[in-house]
Structure formats: structure tokens, C-alpha cells
Amino acid sequence: MLALARGEEVSAAWMVAAALGTYAIGYRFYSKFIAHRVLRVDRTRATPAERMADGLDYHATDRRVLLGHHFAGISGAGPLVGPVLAAQMGYLPGTIWIIVGVIFAGAVQDMVVLFFSTRRDGKSLGQIAREEIGLVGGIAAVIAIFSIMIIILAVLALIVVNALAESPWGTFSVGLTIPIALFMGIYLRYLRPGRIAEVTVIGVALLLLAIVSGRWIANSGLADTFTLSPGALVGWLVIYGFAASVAPVWLLLVPRDYLSTFMKVGTIGLLALAIVITLPTLQMDAVTDFASNGDGPVFAGSLFPFVFITIACGALSGFHSLISSGTTPKMIQKETQVRTIGYGAMLMESSVAVMAITAACVLDPGTYFAMNAPPAVIGDTLQAASDTISSWGFSLTPEQLASAAESVEEESLLSRTGGAPTLALGLSAILADFLGGDAMSSFWYHFAIMFEALFILTAIDAGTRVGRFILQDAIASVHPRLGRFRSTNWMPGVWISSAVVTALWGYLLWVGVHDPLGGINTLYPIFGISNQLLGAVALAVCTVLLVKSGRLKYVWVTLLPLTWVSVVTLTASWQKVFSGDPAVGFLARRDRYQDGIDAGELLTGAQDMDDMRTIVSTATLDAFLSAVLALLVIVVFADALRVCVKAIRRPGSVALAEAPYTESRIVAPAGLIATREERAELAAAGLGPGGGIPRQADGERAGAEVRE
């Protein structure tokens, strides 16, 4: 504040200090209050992973490995892309929301949903809504949740395409992580069960080899083989999403997520250290003119409400509620671990968002806008982009743009929309100053591309599996004869459901890849809105459960963030559908381009009439989806309010759909590091740090035990 008041430069190190200090206080006090006072976690109660173990989806997993899986599952494109795009508004509004929002909204949602799903056999959010709210609100919630899930997966995949298209280095390195993860899964399952530290060392070494070998491939005769077009990447991503969603969790999902978590946490930690040591200056303004006039080139709209839905996952993400009620509650060992895994993992994701907005804001603003504005706005040549951006008041020359691309061994950085390349360039600039100098810029850039693609792929595979859970349950609820679809062991149902889910998000991905206005510019706003609407649904369900369970005095914990996100998101939905500005409103954009078609006139962004018609159809689809999702969420709110009023007036007239209490036999610590009492308990039970079921009468340990 002193620096801003004096007109001085602001170091990026202050962003790191503010974030880490706030996270420490929030986790130490607020999360503990919610876990023990509000939720009343019970260490003696068996979780679904213990009661319903089947080796496919229900599998008691070491809390350290599960934290890696959960963090990887929730950490998709949002914390990387959203803050980078929001940097258009300046570094201050976005950073404040990222830090404050995660403490009181995002981390709260993740932990509370995980707890309530664990109490209900690991059921999905849609199932919980149908059982606890009622038929009307439940059906509306299921339709909204599934639709939003498809949109989110499509946008996540689109960002992978934008990051890897025409990049043999990135494609080879990311592709190699799949066999590495398969090897780790088989190693832990059959070759050396329980040897987590051992397989971690091997996996990380192979991961580093994948990054280095990617450069060899890019400079060899095999480069063309791994240089894939956006259309080809769509096909490969659809195939991967299907395969990952039907494979056992121990084979690919968990080891891949665990492996990628090391890369994610390590990279963010290294970036934070580099910022503290090199002290780069934030070059973007604290608050730009685009925050008030709403005509930004990256995305249109004013600071309220669009900065909040653009940042999305870094502060609050509805997508997380699907992981917290999808794969994670089926693998958690103890209820007491919901604090570490639910609240803690979200703080880790928020730290990624802080690093992302910081990396974007240390870049020259002209370069930032050249990378994130679409060709329809800045043109498709260095000179045109330079002239346009200079007219906005930012100094930029064609030579600067060419030099920036050359430094990271890319042909061009113009209109590399999606946020991923911008973050990679900012990260490479900071890390090159810290390690290796300019000669290492290209290595760090491509390292960051792989880092981001891994982030997103882990969300795609976990998200597709969760979408399969939701669809299986919805089909099984239609008619008793379809009840077999609910079984995770009936493989035809698993394959059919997974195929439908991947086909749906694959279609939207194809539409985004071929959108004339740039897929990320068209789809990201609806991604942000739908993601936050899903967060509102999750918080509404949690609020109902708190009221029904007699915790009325603590209902403010979920009601306050629910109120805020509902106001923000419904306002954004209204503006995106009905705004008269074609840059903001979908219907206004549709009408403008339809008028152009009728007049036989080509408008900005379209190369021919086919492009014009594509823009019209995409805008119509976006408007329809935005309006329908908002209406569905309002129906959920209305039914949730009805149930809450009924529970308050006649507490005995409502019942919770919790699973019956079963005493747990598993002994495991609540946090990553066992306390003195927990270590003594583990030693008395004859168990290692990972915990498990104590030694049996026959002298053998149960399969749930994890050894070091």
C-alpha cells in the first residue's frame, strides 16, 4: 500500500508473502474450526474405502498419495489460465480475490463436500442432491451438474490442445508420462507393494528424463511425427479420456496424479523461491483501465462480475465438488483426513493461481496483450499487432515480439490464447534469471508447457471418471431394469457411460478448436460461469445438509460464500446472454453476425461465410446453455430453500441419508505428518507411517496397510 501510494514499483515477492501468510492462518485456525466444530469429524467411523473396498473405485489409499491424487484431480486449467486472463484488469483485484476467496469459499466447499460424500458411501453431488433436497431440485441438480461437467472438460481439453499443438517437445514429453504412470501403478501393485518412497524416486527421475528427451525429439528427425495439428490432438485426447476413465484407479489415475503432483508442487515452490531471490517487478498496472470500461482485448466485460468468473478455480471451483464427491471419498482412509485433503489441497491450488497471475504481471504488458488477444483484434502480423497494442498506450515493437519468440525457440507468440503460453513465458523469464540465464529460457518455457499440460490432463481423466459416475447413476435411476448401470463392476455399463461422456465433451472441444473467433475466447466465459454455478449448487447442498443435521448456528460457513457466488454468477449469466454489446452478450453477437450474413458482408474475425455461420451457431449455443444452466440452478436454490425452511420449522420431518455407523479398524494419521500420539498408536498397531488395519490374529497384515 505504501508503494502504491508513493507511485513506486511493487515487487512480486509481496504477492508470495501475502498469500503464504494468509494460507497459514486460514489452515491453522479456520479449517480446524470447520472440521471439529461444524462438521464434527469422527476418527472412529469407517469410511467407504474401508467398508466397500472393491479394488476398482473403492480403495483405501495412503493420505499422502491421496492428497497428490486429489490435488492433481482438482488442479486443472483454472488456476493457471483464469488468473493469467484476469491480469488484463491489473494484478491487484485478481490477487485479492484469489487469496480471500480460497480461505472463505473455495477451500470450505471442497472440505465440506468431501466430508458429506464420505458420510454417504462416496456418492456423487447429484445423488446427494436428489436424496437430500428432493425429486425436483435433485433432477435439476443432476442435469445442471452433468452439463457443467461436460463444458468444463471440453475447455480443459481445449487448453491442452492450444498448449501442445504444433509442439513436438511438449507432445512427446506429456505423452511419455502415461507409460511412466502405468509402470508406477504396476510397480506398487505387484512388484514392490507399498514402497512409496522407492517408486517416487523412480517416477520423478523418469519424469525429468521425459522433459529432457522432449528437446532431443524436437531437434531430431522424429519431430514431424510428434508435431500434431489441433484436430489430431482432439482425437488423441478423446481416446485418452475414455481409456483413463475405465482403467482401475490404481493403474493410471492415482500414480499419474501422484507423479504430476511432485512436478506441480515442485515447480510452484521453485517459482516462489525464484521470485523471492530475484525480486522481479510487477510491470502490469495495479488496476488497468480495462477494469472499468469493460472493453478489454482478452475478454470483454467490467471488473464486476467478470474478474471473479474468469479467475474461477484459483479461488472457488465447482469442478472440485465433483472430485470431492467422486473419486476421493472412495479412497480416503479416515474422516479426520478431510481437512488435510479437502482444505489443504485447495490452498495448494490457490498458490498456483497466485504464481500464475504474478508470472503474467511481470511480463511487459505489450507482450502480454500480444499473446492473449485474438487475431481478430490485433491482426496476424508482428507489425499489425505492434501498431494496435501501441495505440492502447503500451510500448511494443515487432522486434520485441520476434525476440521473445526466438528466446523460447517458438516461431511466433502472437495470439497464443488460453493463458498457458503466457504463464510459460513469464515462468521462463523468472526461472532463467534464477537458474541458467538466457540460455535456459527455451528449456524453462517448454518445461512450463509440459507442467501445465500435466495439470490439465490429470483433471481430464479424473473428471471423465466422475462424469461416468454421474451418468451411470442417472441411467440407473430411470428404470429398475437399468439398475446394473450403477454397478462399477459391470463393465458394459462402465464402457457405455464413459463413451457417452467423452463423446459429448469431445464434440464441444471440436467446436472450440474450429471456432473462428478463437475457442478460448468463446468457451472460457461459459466455462467460468458454469463452473461457478456448479460451486453455488455444491454450497447450496452443503447448506441444506448443515440445516438438516441440526447445525443451524454454523450455517453461515457455507451460506455466506453461497450468497456471494450466486450474486456474481447470476449477474454474469444475465450479461452474457442479454447484454447489448456484441463483445459481451451472446445474443447480440449472434444478431450482429446474422445481419452480416443477410447483408452478404464479412465481419471481423470471419474469413468467409462459413465462418460467419459458425460464429452465429456457436453464439446461439452459448446463449442457450448459459440461460438453461442459470434456470436449473435457480430451481435447485428454490427447492433447497424449501427443505431448509421445513427442517427449521419441523426438525423431525426431515431425515438425513447418511450411511449407518460402522466402527473403523484402520489406524492412520489425520495430517501429512503424524503427531506424537499418532506415531505411538501406529507403533502399537504394528503399522508403518502410512497406516492401515492392525496386525490380525493370524499374524498377517491386511492389504490396506502401507509400508515404507
Side-chain angles (χ1 to χ4, degrees), residues 111-329:
M111 178 170 66
V112 176
V113 170
L114 177 57
F115 171 79
F116 282 129
S117 180
T118 302
R119 280 281 176 98
R120 288 158 178 78
D121 295 337
K123 291 178 179 176
S124 68
L125 183 65
Q127 289 177 275
I128 296 172
R130 193 171 62 248
E131 293 176 356
E132 300 286 0
I133 296 179
L135 184 62
V136 176
I139 292 175
V142 170
I143 296 173
I145 291 168
F146 185 73
S147 302
I148 291 169
M149 172 104 267
I150 298 302
I151 294 169
I152 290 173
L153 288 172
V155 176
L156 294 178
L158 178 61
I159 294 165
V160 174
V161 171
N162 287 346
L164 298 183
E166 314 299 340
S167 175
W169 186 342
T171 301
F172 177 81
S173 297
V174 171
L176 202 57
T177 63
I178 298 174
I180 293 173
L182 292 172
F183 167 75
M184 291 176 65
I186 295 171
Y187 192 95
L188 277 176
R189 184 78 170 184
Y190 298 112
L191 302 180
R192 301 276 286 175
R195 304 293 181 177
I196 295 174
E198 193 174 292
V199 78
T200 298
V201 172
I202 296 172
V204 171
L206 291 174
L207 184 64
L208 294 176
L209 178 61
I211 300 170
V212 175
S213 60
R215 187 173 195 173
W216 302 337
I217 293 295
N219 295 322
S220 73
L222 294 173
D224 290 343
T225 304
F226 292 94
T227 302
L228 301 181
S229 66
L233 281 169
V234 170
W236 283 112
L237 283 175
V238 168
I239 293 171
Y240 169 77
F242 174 80
S245 67
V246 300
V249 290
W250 60 265
L251 180 61
L252 178 61
L253 188 67
V254 172
R256 180 188 176 84
D257 291 354
Y258 179 66
L259 176 66
S260 63
T261 294
F262 275 91
M263 185 176 179
K264 296 169 185 176
V265 174
T267 301
I268 294 303
L270 181 63
L271 182 58
L273 179 63
I275 289 173
V276 171
I277 292 176
T278 62
L279 300 176
T281 298
L282 295 170
Q283 298 196 54
M284 187 70 73
D285 292 339
V287 182
T288 67
D289 292 339
F290 298 127
S292 56
N293 59 30
D295 60 356
V298 179
F299 64 92
S302 57
L303 190 151
F304 179 87
F306 290 107
V307 75
F308 302 100
I309 66 165
T310 300
I311 286 176
C313 304
L316 169 67
S317 173
F319 176 75
H320 296 186
S321 68
L322 302 182
I323 305 299
S324 292
S325 64
T327 55
T328 305

Side-chain angles (χ1 to χ4, degrees), residues 83 86-95 284-288 290-291 307 357 361:
Q88 160 181 279
M89 302 289 192
Y91 65 80
L92 200 55
T95 302
M284 187 70 73
D285 292 339
V287 182
T288 67
F290 298 127
V307 75
I357 196 170
C361 291

Side-chain angles (χ1 to χ4, degrees), residues 342-637:
Y343 202 96
M346 182 56 197
L347 293 183
M348 292 163 62
E349 170 155 351
S350 182
S351 70
V352 175
V354 170
M355 293 300 105
I357 196 170
T358 301
C361 291
V362 299
L363 290 176
D364 178 80
T367 302
Y368 166 84
F369 286 110
M371 295 183 69
N372 288 281
V377 175
I378 62 172
D380 55 6
T381 66
L382 297 182
Q383 188 63 55
S386 174
D387 293 343
T388 302
I389 294 170
S390 296
S391 70
W392 299 339
F394 302 105
S395 176
L396 184 67
T397 65
E399 291 74 23
Q400 285 178 290
L401 289 173
S403 176
E406 184 180 353
S407 69
V408 294
E409 298 182 20
E410 289 284 334
E411 290 187 8
S412 174
L413 293 176
L414 277 186
S415 300
R416 294 295 299 273
T417 57
T422 303
L423 175 58
L425 185 65
L427 188 147
S428 69
I430 295 171
L431 291 181
D433 284 344
F434 179 52
L435 292 172
D438 293 341
M440 288 291 288
S441 292
S442 62
F443 173 83
W444 287 120
Y445 176 86
H446 288 91
F447 172 85
I449 290 292
M450 177 182 171
F451 158 76
E452 295 171 272
L454 268 181
F455 244 95
I456 300 163
L457 278 179
T458 52
I460 290 174
D461 53 31
T464 303
R465 183 177 290 264
V466 173
R468 187 247 293 176
F469 293 153
I470 296 172
L471 185 59
Q472 281 182 274
D473 179 67
I475 294 173
S477 302
V478 173
H479 193 277
R481 288 188 175 182
L482 299 174
R484 295 183 69 184
F485 270 90
R486 189 172 281 120
S487 172
T488 57
N489 292 316
W490 188 54
M491 297 314 294
V494 171
W495 294 333
I496 292 171
S497 301
S498 295
V500 171
V501 172
T502 50
L504 289 173
W505 65 254
Y507 167 74
L508 282 182
L509 172 60
W510 184 264
V511 170
V513 164
H514 295 88
D515 178 36
L517 295 181
I520 197 66
N521 300 82
T522 299
L523 288 181
Y524 199 85
I526 194 171
F527 163 82
I529 290 172
S530 60
N531 187 36
Q532 300 297 280
L533 283 174
L534 182 53
V537 170
L539 288 167
V541 172
C542 291
T543 302
V544 169
L545 292 172
L546 288 177
V547 173
K548 290 179 69 173
S549 59
R551 298 175 172 92
L552 188 59
K553 68 177 180 179
Y554 296 124
V555 76
W556 57 268
V557 170
T558 55
L559 185 59
L560 288 180
L562 167 61
T563 302
W564 169 254
V565 73
S566 299
V567 170
V568 167
T569 313
L570 291 176
T571 301
S573 297
W574 178 270
Q575 291 189 20
K576 290 304 294 183
V577 175
F578 297 110
S579 172
D581 183 356
V584 177
F586 293 130
L587 293 180
R589 181 184 305 166
R590 181 201 64 185
D591 292 343
R592 181 188 178 198
Y593 280 83
Q594 184 59 55
D595 291 342
I597 292 173
D598 295 339
E601 177 186 359
L602 287 179
L603 301 181
T604 303
Q607 300 296 321
D608 50 40
M609 281 299 165
D610 285 340
D611 282 354
M612 295 284 287
R613 284 187 283 271
T614 298
I615 293 171
V616 169
S617 61
T618 302
T620 304
L621 176 63
D622 288 345
F624 174 78
L625 289 174
S626 298
V628 169
L629 291 176
L631 290 174
L632 287 171
V633 170
I634 291 172
V635 171
V636 175
F637 289 168

Side-chain angles (χ1 to χ4, degrees), residues 47-55 57-59 120-122 330 659:
T47 64
E50 180 179 356
R51 293 185 290 102
M52 305 170 66
D54 62 6
D57 293 315
Y58 292 87
H59 177 68
R120 288 158 178 78
D121 295 337
K330 297 178 177 64

